[in-house]
C-alpha cells in the first residue's frame, strides 16, 4: 500500500474534512492566497500548474509550506496519457518537475499498464490516481473500462492510491467502490451544493450524492473559488461532505 493513503486518511479524520478544492485559477499568486484562506478546511488542494501565467519554480515550495502548516496534500491534476517513456519525462522534467512536489498525480488507464510503470520509474513520493470515470456529458467511459481500471490499480497497489469517479453514472461508481476494497480511495469531482452543469458539458451532483455512491473525497472547484467568500463556502462543503460520510 502506498503510504500516502494512510497519510490522507489521517488528515481526513483529524480535520473532519473530505473536501479537495480544485484551484483552477490562472494565477499562481492567487492560488497561494486561496490556499491560505481555505487551507484549514481541506484535505487536498488540486492544481493545474500548466494554466498559470506566472509559474515560477518557487511556486511548489511556497505551496508546500502552506500545505505542511495547514495539513493538506497537493494533487497536480496533469492527467498523464502517453507511453511510459514519455509520461516518465513529463512527470520528472520540464519546467514543472511535478515529481519533486506533488503528493498525488493522476493518469488515464486507456494506454495500458505501461503508463503506471513509466510514472513509477520517475516517482519519488507521489501516489497515483487512475481515471475510472469522468464527469462530462457524452464521455466515452464505460463500465467495462472502469472495472479494468480497478484491476490495473490492484496489481499496482504499491503506487496507485485510487480512482477518479463520477456520480454521473452512480451504478458504475458503486461497482468501482465494491471492487476497490477498503484501501483504494475514490475522488469525485463535478460537485456543487446545487446540482446542474456548466455550458461546456460539466455535470454536477451534490456532496451527499457523491458520498452515498462511494466517494472518499469530493473535489469542488468553481463552487468554492468563485464564491464571494471562498472560506465560508468551503466550510459549507466541508460540513456537507463530512456529515454525509458519517451517515
Ligand atoms: O472527470 C473529471 C475529472 C476531473 S479531475 N471531471 C473534472 O471536473 N475533473 C476536474 O475537477 C477538473 O479538471 C476541474 O479541475 C475540477 C472540477 O472543477 P469545477 O469548477 O467544475 O468544480
Amino acid at each position: 500500500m502506498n503510504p500516502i493513503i494512510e497519510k490522507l486518511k489521517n488528515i481526513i479524520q483529524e480535520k473532519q474534512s473530505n473536501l479537495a478544492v480544485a484551484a483552477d485559477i490562472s494565477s499562481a499568486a492567487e492560488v497561494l492566497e486561496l490556499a491560505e484562506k481555505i487551507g484549514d478546511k481541506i484535505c487536498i488542494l488540486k492544481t493545474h500548474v500548466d494554466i498559470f501565467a506566472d509559474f515560477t519554480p518557487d511556486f511548489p515550495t511556497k505551496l508546500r509550506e502552506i500545505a505542511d502548516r495547514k495539513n493538506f496534500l497537493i494533487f497536480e491534476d496533469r492527467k498523464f496519457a502517453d507511453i511510459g517513456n514519455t509520461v516518465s519525462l513529463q512527470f520528472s522534467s520540464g519546467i514543472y518537475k511535478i515529481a519533486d512536489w506533488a503528493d498525488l498525480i493522476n493518469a488515464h488507464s486507456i494506454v495500458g499498464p505501461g503508463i503506471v510503470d513509466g510514472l513509477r520509474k520517475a516517482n519519488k513520493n507521489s501516489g497515483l490516481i487512475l481515471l475510472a470515470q469522468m464527469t462530462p456529458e457524452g464521455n466515452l467511459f464505460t463500465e467495462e473500462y472502469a472495472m479494468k481500471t480497478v484491476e490495473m490499480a490492484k496489481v499496482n497497489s504499491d503506487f496507485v492510491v485510487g480512482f477518479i469517479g463520477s456520480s454521473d453514472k452512480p451504478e458504475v461508481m458503486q461497482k468501482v467502490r465494491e471492487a476497490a476494497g477498503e484501501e483504494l480511495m475514490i475522488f469525485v469531482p463535478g460537485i456543487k451544493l446545487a446540482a446542474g452543469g456548466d455550458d461546456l458539458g460539466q455535470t454536477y451532483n451534490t456532496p451527499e450524492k457523491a458520498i452515498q455512491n462511494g466517494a472518499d473525497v469530493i473535489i469542488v472547484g468553481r463552487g468554492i473559488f468563485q464564491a464571494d467568500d471562498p472560506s465560508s463556502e468551503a466550510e459549507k462543503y466541508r460540513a456537507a461532505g463530512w456529515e454525509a460520510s458519517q451517515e
Side-chain angles (χ1 to χ4, degrees):
M1 179 171 107
N2 190 320
I4 290 276
I5 295 179
E6 205 190 334
K7 196 171 174 189
L8 177 56
K9 288 188 173 171
N10 285 338
I11 293 174
I12 291 172
Q13 292 303 320
E14 282 164 26
K15 297 176 82 174
Q16 303 201 336
S17 174
N18 49 33
L19 172 64
V21 166
D24 296 344
I25 305 170
S26 56
S27 154
E30 284 178 32
V31 169
L32 294 172
E33 272 174 40
L34 180 73
E36 286 285 1
K37 276 188 207 152
I38 60 161
D40 293 330
K41 321 272 184 207
I42 61 175
C43 61
I44 295 171
L45 187 93
K46 189 172 81 58
T47 53
H48 282 296
V49 286
D50 55 357
I51 68 179
F52 295 157
D54 56 346
F55 180 87
T56 49
D58 65 352
F59 169 78
T61 315
K62 287 182 179 161
L63 185 58
R64 171 58 57 202
E65 188 277 318
I66 302 171
D68 288 348
R69 178 157 43 82
K70 295 192 175 275
N71 197 25
F72 61 79
L73 300 184
I74 304 169
F75 172 9
E76 168 51 27
D77 184 3
R78 171 65 179 76
K79 294 188 184 71
F80 295 101
D82 212 318
I83 63 165
N85 185 59
T86 300
V87 296
S88 172
L89 293 167
Q90 289 170 326
F91 183 28
S92 61
S93 311
I95 304 171
Y96 304 119
K97 300 187 190 350
I98 297 166
D100 287 349
W101 51 269
D103 298 304
L104 297 165
I105 54 164
N106 55 358
H108 286 290
S109 51
I110 183 118
V111 279
I115 194 165
V116 180
D117 296 335
L119 291 168
R120 184 192 283 105
K121 193 176 162 199
N123 190 36
K124 294 183 177 169
N125 298 304
S126 310
L128 175 62
I129 297 169
L130 293 176
L131 287 113
Q133 295 181 280
M134 283 195 78
T135 57
E137 266 167 33
N139 71 71
L140 305 181
F141 286 77
T142 62
E143 177 175 338
E144 187 192 3
Y145 184 94
M147 300 321 284
K148 289 205 164 147
T149 303
V150 175
E151 280 170 35
M152 198 187 289
K154 289 198 144 183
V155 295
N156 290 289
S157 63
D158 60 311
F159 182 24
V160 178
V161 303
F163 312 96
I164 297 290
S166 168
S167 296
D168 195 37
K169 294 198 185 93
E171 66 294 344
V172 176
M173 198 165 109
Q174 286 160 12
K175 285 185 185 158
V176 169
R177 172 74 279 162
E178 276 166 37
E182 291 263 301
E183 281 169 8
L184 295 171
M185 302 178 76
I186 305 187
F187 304 78
V188 178
I191 305 279
K192 267 201 177 168
L193 290 171
D198 71 6
D199 57 1
L200 295 173
Q202 175 70 303
T203 59
Y204 290 114
N205 284 284
T206 60
E208 290 78 10
K209 188 163 177 212
I211 299 280
Q212 278 160 16
N213 291 327
D216 295 286
V217 172
I218 55 171
I219 301 175
V220 184
R222 285 164 284 180
I224 289 177
F225 70 76
Q226 286 183 344
D228 291 337
D229 182 352
S231 174
S232 67
E233 205 63 18
E235 174 54 25
K236 286 184 203 160
Y237 281 92
R238 186 208 61 78
W242 180 254
E243 277 158 28
S245 75
Q246 298 306 295
E247 273 164 23

